[in-house]
Amino acid sequence: MSRGIDNCNPGNIRLSRIRYRGEVRPSRDPEFRQFESLAWGYRAIFVLLDTYRRRYGLDTLRGMIGRWAPPSENRTEHYIAIVSERTGIEADERIDTRDRATMVAIAAAISWVENGATATMREVFEGWRLYEELPA
């Protein structure tokens, strides 16, 4: 099992001062967050991507993934290309972070890149439900 799935953190979101609902504190992982379930981990992906749009004006895959997986740590352009291919969203196409179909596809693609396994869509949709009920 991958580290992200083991941590119920399918986006491999790193530890920081920000707290997320459904987060396990303290994390047993010294670098990455842990969540109570995969659904809470997917909710965190939705919250973080929406924050990128609202706070930093990042409203494309190129902008969002560029911040999510910076070139200092990742093959960012490759990451963008994979998410684009898996979602059908062009790298520079504007994204509505309040659109369920778009965001569920993006979160599932991010999970695939991060964990090397297809997301369980039931968990992704449950994460979206939590996000709608408990927005950032």
Side-chain angles (χ1 to χ4, degrees), residues 36-83:
E36 294 172 13
S37 68
L38 282 169
W40 285 109
Y42 283 112
R43 179 194 174 274
I45 292 172
F46 300 131
V47 168
L48 192 50
L49 293 177
D50 189 51
T51 299
Y52 289 172
R53 181 193 55 79
R54 287 182 298 101
R55 187 170 294 160
Y56 306 107
L58 303 173
D59 63 355
T60 65
L61 286 180
R62 186 175 313 285
M64 290 176 174
I65 301 299
R67 184 168 179 94
W68 186 281
S72 60
E73 301 175 11
N74 298 275
R75 294 176 49 210
T76 306
E77 287 301 317
H78 182 67
Y79 198 131
I80 293 165
I82 292 170
V83 173

Side-chain angles (χ1 to χ4, degrees), residues 1-45:
M1 182 178 301
S2 71
R3 186 179 196 174
I5 299 302
D6 190 45
N7 287 337
C8 292
N9 180 357
N12 280 322
I13 300 171
R14 291 192 179 275
L15 292 172
S16 70
R17 293 183 315 231
I18 298 167
R19 291 193 175 198
Y20 290 89
R21 291 183 173 152
E23 186 175 353
V24 174
R25 290 263 188 174
S27 177
R28 293 183 319 262
D29 190 306
E31 296 179 53
F32 295 94
R33 296 176 183 281
Q34 290 182 301
F35 293 95
E36 294 172 13
S37 68
L38 282 169
W40 285 109
Y42 283 112
R43 179 194 174 274
I45 292 172

Side-chain angles (χ1 to χ4, degrees), residues 69-129:
S72 60
E73 301 175 11
N74 298 275
R75 294 176 49 210
T76 306
E77 287 301 317
H78 182 67
Y79 198 131
I80 293 165
I82 292 170
V83 173
S84 177
E85 180 181 312
R86 293 185 74 85
T87 62
I89 299 168
E90 296 296 322
D92 296 311
E93 182 179 334
R94 294 190 73 191
I95 295 168
D96 176 1
T97 56
R98 304 302 292 171
D99 180 73
R100 181 178 89 149
T102 299
M103 297 308 293
V104 163
I106 291 171
I110 286 173
S111 180
W112 190 89
V113 174
E114 294 288 341
N115 301 291
T118 302
T120 303
M121 295 309 292
R122 178 180 50 79
E123 297 287 351
V124 185
F125 282 112
E126 178 63 12
W128 182 261
R129 186 190 65 74

